[in-house]
């Protein structure tokens, strides 16, 4: 009839533990989503680097062909021509690295998808060229405290341990049982009678040597989980502070590198005109082309970091769920 809340406490505790396990599974799925998004962004970056390098390599091949003709006619210095060939070799190596990077990035993504590593497919979308609103630190932290599945899972575990602590504390209460018995008595061949007994019985341990240890262990476990929860909250805030600082730095660097890229492109175009006019050597032209490639590649890497760092902010704040991934996907496709 009454078992000092033992059964109901076990049921309530079990429900919270099941909920905690489900939430942990959701958080693990979010972690996998971030890893997958990072791999996909790496493919888009590799594609863009390959496109930039391939386009520049085609232009340089034409420059070298023209320079070789002029060199054979003795119209340019041989030293300049061979210095230009050294620069061209560096760009060709960059092209080889870009091809290898794209291939490797696709292999990593195939492994994540459970496909054969050599499977070739086309990644849809492009890394956007603009930064997103960085938001406020307190806003990110507030979202994390509400949305992080692992933190909510910890809350469920704490609640389960609180119930367990209560169960141990009330285990000294008496256990109450109901009982009954019925018997048929026959006094002669023509009559019979029935006797029955119904009652309530209470049992209570006068002394339980395990009681202090059990209650103390449950209380310590409860306090330990609360300390773990606070440590997790602190770790979340610390990670968000560090990640937001990184994102702010990349955001500030973006216009600087964008201007440098535009300047490098302008310098490359102007140097090409001066070369055609005979006022710059082929070595000068390919040197500035190499600078342009370096700057263009750096800009694409920075755009990749902008998207990745913002995605990590979404992950750390618990917002990289199905809706968050959909927004990222639309952003990649719209640009």
């Amino acid at each position: 009839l009454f078992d000092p809340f033992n059964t109901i406490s076990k049921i309530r505790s079990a429900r919270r533990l099941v909920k905690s396990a489900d939430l942990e599974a959701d958080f693990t799925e979010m972690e996998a989503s971030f890893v997958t998004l990072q791999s996909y962004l790496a493919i888009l970056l590799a594609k863009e680097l390959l496109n930039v390098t391939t386009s520049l390599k085609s232009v340089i091949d034409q420059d070298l062909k023209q320079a070789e003709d002029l060199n054979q006619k003795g119209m340019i210095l041989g030293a300049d021509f061979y210095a230009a060939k050294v620069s061209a070799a560096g760009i060709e190596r960059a092209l080889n690295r870009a091809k290898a990077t794209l291939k490797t990035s696709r292999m990593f993504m195939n492994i994540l998808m459970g496909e054969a590593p050599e499977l070739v497919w086309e990644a849809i979308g492009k890394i956007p060229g603009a930064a997103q609103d960085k938001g406020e630190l307190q806003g990110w932290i507030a979202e994390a405290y509400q949305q992080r599945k692992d933190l909510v899972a910890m809350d469920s575990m704490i609640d389960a341990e609180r119930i367990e602590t209560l169960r141990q504390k009330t285990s000294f209460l008496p256990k109450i049982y109901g009982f009954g018995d019925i018997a048929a008595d026959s006094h002669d061949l023509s009559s019979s009678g029935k006797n029955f007994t119904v009652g309530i019985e209470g049992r209570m341990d006068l002394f339980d040597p395990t009681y202090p240890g059990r209650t103390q262990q449950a209380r310590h476990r409860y306090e330990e989980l609360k300390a773990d929860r606070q440590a997790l909250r602190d770790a979340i805030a610390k990670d968000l502070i560090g990640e937001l600082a990184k994102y702010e730095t990349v955001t500030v660097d973006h216009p600087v590198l964008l201007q440098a890229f535009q300047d490098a492109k302008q310098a490359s175009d102007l140097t090409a005109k001066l070369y055609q006019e005979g006022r710059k050597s082929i070595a000068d032209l390919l040197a500035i082309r190499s600078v342009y490639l370096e700057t263009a590649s750096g800009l694409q890497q920075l755009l990749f970091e902008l998207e990745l760092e913002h995605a990590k902010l979404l992950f750390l704040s618990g917002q990289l769920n199905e809706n968050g991934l959909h927004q990222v996907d639309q952003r990649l496709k719209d640009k």
Side-chain angles (χ1 to χ4, degrees):
L1 298 179
F2 177 69
D3 64 349
F5 308 108
N6 183 63
T7 301
I8 188 63
S9 294
K10 285 184 176 180
I11 293 174
R12 289 172 178 171
S13 180
R15 285 175 178 170
R16 284 156 178 79
L17 289 175
V18 170
K19 181 181 178 181
S20 176
D22 290 341
L23 290 168
E24 285 288 357
D26 291 341
F27 182 71
T28 301
E29 184 176 343
M30 190 177 294
E31 286 182 308
S33 297
F34 175 73
V35 173
T36 304
L37 176 58
Q38 182 179 14
S39 181
Y40 194 82
L41 288 173
I43 293 175
L44 295 181
L45 172 62
K47 279 180 58 181
E48 196 62 33
L49 291 177
L50 180 60
N51 291 338
V52 170
T53 310
T54 301
S55 177
L56 185 61
K57 179 64 169 55
S58 177
V59 173
I60 287 177
D61 286 343
Q62 295 176 9
D63 293 336
L64 279 178
K65 186 177 184 305
Q66 182 183 23
E68 185 175 11
D69 293 339
L70 294 174
N71 181 53
Q72 291 176 355
K73 296 176 182 178
M75 298 178 67
I76 63 174
L77 294 175
D80 287 340
F81 174 69
Y82 289 108
K85 290 188 67 175
V86 172
S87 297
I91 294 174
E92 186 170 359
R93 289 180 60 213
L95 178 61
N96 293 335
R97 287 194 298 270
K99 291 178 180 178
T101 300
L102 178 58
K103 182 179 179 180
T104 303
S105 299
R106 280 203 179 108
M107 284 183 172
F108 286 158
M109 192 67 183
N110 287 337
I111 292 173
L112 288 175
M113 296 189 300
E115 301 287 351
E118 299 291 342
L119 179 67
V120 178
W121 50 276
E122 187 65 25
I124 300 175
K126 184 178 180 181
I127 297 178
Q132 302 179 71
D133 181 18
K134 66 182 181 65
E136 297 295 331
L137 175 62
Q138 292 303 322
W140 288 109
I141 292 177
E143 285 291 336
Y145 287 166
Q146 292 181 0
Q147 303 289 342
R148 280 283 292 256
K149 299 293 186 181
D150 54 339
L151 188 58
V152 181
M154 182 70 73
D155 289 337
S156 294
M157 289 184 64
I158 291 174
D159 201 22
E161 194 59 37
R162 179 189 61 80
I163 295 172
E164 176 63 18
T165 302
L166 178 63
R167 186 177 76 87
Q168 295 298 339
K169 284 184 177 180
T170 58
S171 63
F172 73 93
L173 295 174
K175 297 177 179 62
I176 301 175
Y177 304 88
F179 64 89
D181 181 54
I182 185 170
D185 299 325
S186 178
H187 300 286
D188 52 47
L189 295 177
S190 60
S191 62
S192 64
K194 294 182 178 180
N195 298 323
F196 66 90
T197 304
V198 177
I200 296 177
E201 175 186 9
R203 298 178 185 176
M204 182 176 182
D205 296 329
L206 295 179
F207 176 67
D208 182 2
T210 66
Y211 179 79
R214 286 188 287 105
T215 54
Q216 187 176 19
Q217 182 182 19
R219 184 172 65 254
H220 286 173
R221 175 60 179 160
Y222 177 59
E223 295 298 330
E224 182 182 358
L225 284 175
K226 289 201 298 182
D228 289 344
R229 180 183 184 275
Q230 185 59 48
L232 179 58
R233 285 170 61 92
D234 293 343
I236 289 172
K238 180 181 177 181
D239 290 343
L240 281 170
I241 290 172
E243 199 58 39
L244 187 59
K246 291 180 183 178
Y247 186 68
E248 289 176 343
T249 301
V250 180
T251 302
V252 172
D253 284 345
H254 176 239
V256 177
L257 194 52
L258 179 60
Q259 183 62 51
F261 165 72
Q262 294 171 350
D263 292 343
K265 187 175 186 306
Q266 186 75 2
S268 179
D269 294 341
L270 291 176
T271 303
K273 291 181 180 179
L274 293 174
Y275 167 67
Q276 295 296 332
E277 296 171 0
R279 298 164 62 186
K280 285 289 183 179
S281 69
I282 184 62
D284 294 332
L285 177 59
L286 263 66
I288 198 64
R289 297 249 199 242
S290 298
V291 172
Y292 165 76
L293 176 61
E294 181 181 350
T295 309
S297 300
L299 178 61
Q300 292 303 320
Q301 181 67 39
L302 184 138
L303 295 177
F304 165 78
E305 291 176 4
L306 275 175
E307 290 302 309
L308 184 62
E309 298 299 338
H310 193 272
K312 196 167 184 179
L313 283 171
L314 292 176
F315 166 68
L316 291 175
S317 61
Q319 300 180 74
L320 197 63
N321 48 26
E322 184 175 351
N323 182 54
L325 287 172
H326 177 71
Q327 292 179 7
V328 174
D329 181 60
Q330 287 300 120
R331 178 173 166 80
L332 296 179
K333 291 179 179 178
D334 290 345
K335 301 300 179 179

